[in-house]
Amino acid sequence: MIMTSLLSATFSNPFAFSRTALASMLAASCIGMMTLPTSATAAERTLTVYTYESFTSEWGPGPAIKAGFEEQCGDCSIDFVALDSSAGILNRVQLEGDSSRADVVLGLDTNLMAIAEDSGLLADSEVDTSSLTLPVKWESDIFVPFDYGYFAFVYDTEALATPPTSFEELINAPDEVKIIIQDPRTSTPGLGLLMWMKSVYGDKAAEKWQALQPRILTVTKGWSESYFSLFLNGEAPMVLSYSTSPGYHMEIDKTERYQAASFSDGHYLQIEVAALLKRSENLELGREFLSYLTSKEAQTSIPLGNVMYPVVDLGDQLPASFDKLIEPVKTLQFSPLEVKDNRKQWINEWLEASTAG
């Protein structure tokens, strides 16, 4: 999920800015040709999808997936409702309950699945996921995976020639080696780091969080502040992100300056999922959308739109830069149930370790 708000990317990414400007100019040039929709052209069915902001941004995968699905269904429209995070999506549908206008939630991950399932708000997808190419066996009848990736520390090769290759090396790194991380209470990658540390250190995680404090420059609410506002502006040589993040820089920015540090501890796996709301009046259309989400056509938007691995084999349509990404020596992951049962305790453990004198 390398993309973020329009504002952030506009200032930090000239490529994104040029696309933004071009889109604005095209939109302006078309105003004179626009007409109000007639009864013959208006979509008859609308599917409301709650997701996170970067998914719906013009450089994210959302626009292409929306256009592709609307062309396939012929008489429908996708209404993306962009929220600030995966946790925000779950909180919103839990608060709204049966009155939610969402038909589909898109952007939860494996760390939130059991909590979402416990809400009783979700329906079986009826999507055949048996042929998807994931690092783990997929067994959920409710959740449909649409991409995956591994949490990693991305480093600036011009600021750090030799990155740490394990948490122990990071903890014992020289003072000038600083990292920017995200808050596990508000950020999916932040929660991912919490799980990563816990899966490596188990009962010693709190002790290691305390030992890691001198390396932490700051903790941001979300990933985009960490990556775009701070890391790419040189505030620290390392940032918590994904092993796939360098792929975007190599393909779009044409630079190998930013790379992911391969940790001998292994890397924690994140799988992003979508699900259908039971109360939806568009269950059939929702299931069609979930199925389309795993189609090869939709999945071609994932590697550079969401900067994650697709869940189908794209063959030569996978960007060549993905062959240069680090490959985890070990895949780490807690089950959704383990996360549900322990998340609050582990967050409190992190809070206490982070504030201990």
Side-chain angles (χ1 to χ4, degrees):
M1 299 187 296
I2 196 166
M3 292 298 88
T4 184
S5 69
L6 174 62
L7 183 63
S8 300
T10 298
F11 283 100
S12 62
N13 189 325
F15 180 82
F17 174 71
S18 65
R19 284 191 293 178
T20 303
L22 178 60
S24 299
M25 288 187 288
L26 288 173
S29 69
C30 291
I31 288 175
M33 296 185 287
M34 291 175 63
T35 58
L36 293 174
T38 66
S39 59
T41 58
E44 295 179 0
R45 299 180 293 169
T46 298
L47 193 73
T48 301
V49 179
Y50 285 7
T51 185
Y52 48 77
E53 290 172 346
S54 60
F55 192 89
T56 64
S57 65
E58 63 182 284
W59 53 82
I65 289 173
K66 170 182 166 68
F69 182 68
E70 288 176 349
E71 182 177 0
Q72 174 182 290
C73 76
D75 67 342
C76 75
S77 174
I78 296 294
D79 178 19
F80 282 129
V81 177
L83 303 172
D84 63 352
S85 66
S86 300
I89 297 168
L90 180 57
N91 290 339
R92 176 82 169 259
V93 294
Q94 285 179 314
L95 286 171
E96 293 176 341
D98 288 337
S99 64
S100 177
R101 57 186 282 253
D103 297 298
V104 169
V105 289
L106 186 159
L108 306 180
D109 73 357
T110 33
N111 288 329
L112 297 172
M113 278 173 47
I115 301 167
E117 187 171 350
D118 262 10
S119 72
L121 297 170
L122 305 177
D124 284 358
S125 72
E126 299 183 8
V127 173
D128 180 6
T129 58
S130 60
S131 64
L132 300 184
T133 54
L134 290 163
V136 294
K137 186 179 180 182
W138 195 254
E139 296 179 330
S140 174
D141 292 328
I142 293 176
F143 299 97
V144 176
F146 65 89
D147 68 19
Y148 71 93
Y150 300 91
F151 295 111
F153 286 100
V154 172
Y155 68 101
D156 180 351
T157 60
E158 293 185 3
L160 186 64
T162 306
T165 59
S166 68
F167 277 112
E168 284 305 305
E169 284 194 12
L170 176 60
I171 288 169
N172 295 302
D175 287 346
E176 62 268 24
V177 176
K178 299 292 185 185
I179 58 174
I180 303 168
I181 65 172
Q182 299 93 49
D183 191 326
R185 296 167 296 177
T186 54
S187 162
T188 301
L191 183 60
L193 177 59
L194 193 76
M195 300 302 151
W196 190 7
M197 287 277 283
K198 196 69 183 179
S199 61
V200 170
Y201 290 116
D203 293 341
K204 294 184 177 179
E207 171 189 330
K208 296 300 180 180
W209 270 115
Q210 273 191 278
L212 187 62
Q213 294 308 304
R215 302 278 70 74
I216 300 174
L217 177 70
T218 190
V219 181
T220 64
K221 180 180 178 183
W223 173 90
S224 59
E225 302 100 296
S226 289
Y227 204 93
F228 288 104
S229 301
L230 298 176
F231 174 67
L232 291 184
N233 282 314
E235 296 296 330
M238 300 184 77
V239 63
L240 175 66
S241 191
Y242 294 85
S243 68
T244 41
S245 299
Y248 179 85
H249 295 293
M250 287 188 272
E251 289 290 337
I252 304 301
D253 296 335
K254 307 300 181 189
T255 178
E256 297 190 5
R257 176 175 174 177
Y258 303 105
Q259 297 296 326
S262 179
F263 272 25
S264 57
D265 310 287
H267 290 256
Y268 197 85
L269 172 67
Q270 180 194 37
I271 300 174
E272 293 196 294
V273 300
L276 183 64
L277 274 291
K278 274 182 185 173
R279 54 134 303 277
S280 170
E281 296 177 355
N282 297 295
L283 288 172
E284 181 181 353
L285 185 63
R287 289 187 170 109
E288 289 173 17
F289 176 73
L290 293 179
S291 181
Y292 176 78
L293 199 56
T294 61
S295 68
K296 193 169 184 177
E297 178 180 313
Q299 287 287 304
T300 57
S301 300
I302 294 296
L304 295 183
N306 235 23
V307 197
M308 296 283 273
Y309 288 106
V311 295
V312 302
D313 183 1
L314 293 181
D316 58 9
Q317 289 183 284
L318 186 70
S321 63
F322 274 56
D323 289 337
K324 300 179 180 179
L325 302 177
I326 64 167
E327 294 186 12
V329 294
K330 186 193 302 182
T331 296
L332 305 173
Q333 190 184 39
F334 288 114
S335 72
L337 196 57
E338 287 176 303
V339 178
K340 179 180 80 71
D341 290 344
N342 295 285
R343 188 177 69 145
K344 288 183 180 177
Q345 177 190 336
W346 292 346
I347 286 176
N348 288 336
E349 183 179 85
W350 166 78
L351 273 171
E352 291 175 8
S354 301
T355 56

